[in-house]
Amino acid sequence: MKRALVALLFAGAAVLGTAAPAAAHNALISSDPKDKASLEAGPSTVTLTFDQDVQGGQGINTISVVDANGGHYEVPGDPTIKDNAVTAKVNALGKAGEYKIGYRILSADGHPVSGELTFTLTKDGTGTPTTPANADASAGDSGSDGGLPIWVWIVGAVVLLGGGVFFALRAGGGAKA
Ligand SMILES: [Cu+2]
C-alpha cells in the first residue's frame, strides 16, 4: 500500500513537472498598433505588452517592421523594455500595403517567445526601407520550444499518470499475494 502511494506521488510530481514550464511562457496580451489595424500614417513606435515581465539584455529582444518586399523599417538597435512592455522605434514607412510586426523576446522563465502581427498602411508613406545588419528575427521563426502546443504537455502528463496508476496497482497486487 505504501508503495502504491509512492507511485502515485511520483506520477503527480511528473504531471506538475511537465505542465509548469509550458504555462510559464510570456504571452502577448496587447499591442500598439493593434493586430490587423488599418493606419493612414505609419506608427513612430511599436509597443508590445506581455502578461509577464520581459528580460532585458543586449541583442536579446527584437521587434521588426517589414513590408511586403521584406524591407525593414524598425530603427536598428535594442528595443526599450519597461517591465512587461517592449517598445521599438519605427522609421517612416514606404508604400501603402500590409506590414508585418515580427517579435522575439525573452520570457520571464528564460525561454524565447516569438510571433507576428500585421497592420495595413492605407496611404503611401515617405520612408524607404533599411535592412539591419543583424539577422532577420521576424516572421516564421517560432523559437526552440515556443511552438509546442499545450495538448502535447497534457497528453504527456496523462500518459505518465496512467503509467503511475498501473505501477501502483501492480505493486499493490503483488504485496497481497
Ligand atoms: Cu518557458
Side-chain angles (χ1 to χ4, degrees):
M1 200 56 197
K2 217 179 236 176
R3 193 178 280 202
L5 276 174
V6 168
L8 278 173
L9 281 175
F10 267 111
V15 169
L16 290 175
T18 48
H25 290 308
N26 284 28
L28 186 71
I29 54 172
S30 70
S31 67
D32 181 18
K34 289 200 182 342
D35 190 23
K36 299 182 175 62
S38 280
L39 307 170
E40 282 196 4
S44 59
T45 59
V46 167
T47 298
L48 304 176
T49 305
F50 295 85
D51 63 340
Q52 302 174 72
D53 285 0
V54 173
Q55 296 194 43
Q58 216 175 359
I60 289 174
N61 301 288
T62 57
I63 292 179
S64 61
V65 178
V66 183
D67 66 18
N69 298 318
H72 282 251
Y73 295 86
E74 74 278 8
V75 173
D78 285 313
T80 307
I81 293 154
K82 190 164 188 291
D83 303 329
N84 60 336
V86 186
T87 299
K89 287 184 176 150
V90 183
N91 291 318
L93 298 183
K95 292 232 178 302
E98 189 175 272
Y99 285 77
K100 281 181 185 162
I101 300 171
Y103 65 87
R104 183 181 172 86
I105 60 97
L106 190 60
S107 277
D109 74 348
H111 291 140
V113 170
S114 59
E116 190 181 291
L117 304 87
T118 61
F119 67 88
T120 302
L121 184 68
T122 58
K123 289 184 177 173
D124 285 349
T126 57
T128 50
T130 57
T131 301
N134 57 346
D136 183 4
S138 65
D141 174 13
S142 64
S144 53
D145 70 341
L148 206 57
I150 187 75
W151 66 263
V152 172
W153 296 102
I154 292 170
V155 168
V158 167
V159 167
L160 281 169
L161 184 61
V165 169
F166 178 72
F167 175 75
L169 290 174
R170 266 180 58 124
K176 240 179 242 168

